[in-house]
Amino acid sequence: GGGGPIQHLDSYPPSGNLPSVMKITEKSPSRIFLIGPMGVGKTTIGRKLAQILGLQFMDCDLEVERRSGVSISWIFDVEGEAGFRLRESQLLDELTSQKACLVATGGGAVLSAENRQRLRERGIVVYLDAQLDLLARRTTKHKNRRPLLQGGSTRALLETLQQKREPLYRETADIHLVVSDQSIQETLTRLLELLRQHGFIKGELVKEGLVKAGTLRENSVKDSLMKE
């Protein structure tokens, strides 16, 4: 794995959130946690969803790197996976206790029973899922940054991880969304609709600031949210 400081954190943590007319309902804790395999888009989707719902976005893997000043690959090399998992659990305990937050977790965060319990008890857990071929395509580009994908076929390694983790994702999640190769807008629309159907969020999605920011196209989102 690559050692030394990391180069890809320029936009992390993200700047301020946009105001939104969609809000988490009073009966829900104001926290959403994204779980799922690497490459499914937890960071990309999470950042946009947090913007829409007016939540603070945090990415567990990026936060581990930001605080330690080294890459996850370096941590795996020096401390082993056990060392990384310990850091991850300690950080997850802190992040999942924040108010009004959306946390994108690492793919292996669910391996710890303690982590799974914290996620379930402290917020709304969304399992983002995708076909192995799509995950393999997306993760191959940055394979050198992913210590668990070294030394073999990306697809085969992902499949092994998936077999172990899939039941844990399902056991932990309140909502399960299968992500396809569609646009981020379409994925967000489907996710917001699921959150609304389950009573976790309420309100309208149409907001001038969001449309200007290019988060979602006004008409297509409004139409698809109103079709029932």
Side-chain angles (χ1 to χ4, degrees):
I6 32 178
Q7 308 300 327
H8 56 288
L9 296 187
D10 341 340
S11 59
Y12 186 83
S15 53
N17 291 320
L18 293 163
S20 172
V21 283
M22 285 204 104
K23 294 290 175 205
I24 291 187
T25 55
E26 287 77 9
K27 71 174 186 176
S28 307
S30 56
R31 305 183 186 112
I32 294 179
F33 309 132
L34 302 185
I35 62 173
M38 61 180 92
V40 78
K42 297 185 295 289
T43 303
T44 308
I45 292 166
R47 207 183 288 273
K48 298 284 191 188
L49 186 62
Q51 234 175 19
I52 292 166
L53 296 175
L55 301 174
Q56 182 190 359
F57 175 73
M58 289 172 286
D59 182 292
C60 198
D61 282 353
L62 295 183
E63 195 64 24
V64 165
E65 293 186 323
R66 188 180 75 82
R67 292 185 185 202
S68 63
V70 293
S71 67
I72 286 172
S73 297
W74 188 91
I75 296 171
F76 265 76
D77 284 348
V78 176
E79 301 178 4
E81 184 173 358
F84 170 73
R85 295 294 169 211
L86 181 61
R87 286 175 182 259
E88 179 180 56
S89 287
Q90 289 169 343
L91 182 61
L92 205 56
D93 184 25
E94 180 192 324
L95 297 185
T96 56
S97 303
Q98 307 279 332
K99 289 182 179 171
C101 65
L102 190 149
V103 180
T105 65
V110 294
L111 293 170
S112 151
E114 199 175 25
N115 288 352
R116 295 197 300 276
Q117 185 178 351
R118 284 172 182 154
L119 291 165
R120 275 196 303 264
E121 288 176 355
R122 295 178 184 178
I124 303 157
V125 184
V126 177
Y127 168 25
L128 297 178
D129 191 7
Q131 295 294 317
L132 274 173
D133 289 334
L134 178 60
L135 296 174
R137 254 198 341 269
R138 288 180 175 180
T139 50
T140 301
K141 284 183 281 189
H142 302 293
K143 191 173 176 176
N144 63 328
R145 291 216 301 257
R146 300 184 184 272
L148 293 174
L149 294 185
Q150 305 309 308
S153 139
T154 302
R155 194 185 188 285
L157 290 165
L158 283 168
E159 189 166 17
T160 304
L161 291 173
Q162 194 75 332
Q163 284 166 355
K164 187 176 182 181
R165 296 172 178 182
E166 160 79 8
L168 303 177
Y169 292 140
R170 287 181 179 274
E171 170 199 317
T172 312
D174 295 301
I175 285 179
H176 180 192
L177 176 68
V178 179
V179 175
S180 61
D181 224 351
Q182 61 194 169
S183 71
I184 180 89
Q185 284 93 341
E186 290 167 306
T187 301
L188 279 165
T189 301
R190 288 169 56 220
L191 180 49
L192 287 162
E193 186 59 14
L194 275 174
L195 285 164
R196 198 158 76 161
Q197 283 171 4
H198 283 75
F200 291 134
I201 62 171
K202 61 181 181 180
E204 295 284 318
L205 185 56
V206 181
K207 182 79 175 174
E208 192 187 353
L210 291 170
V211 177
K212 273 188 184 164
T215 307
L216 295 161
R217 290 191 310 278
E218 184 170 2
N219 293 332
S220 63
V221 172
K222 188 175 181 185
D223 292 347
S224 53
L225 281 179
M226 298 308 158
K227 273 182 212 151
E228 297 227 27

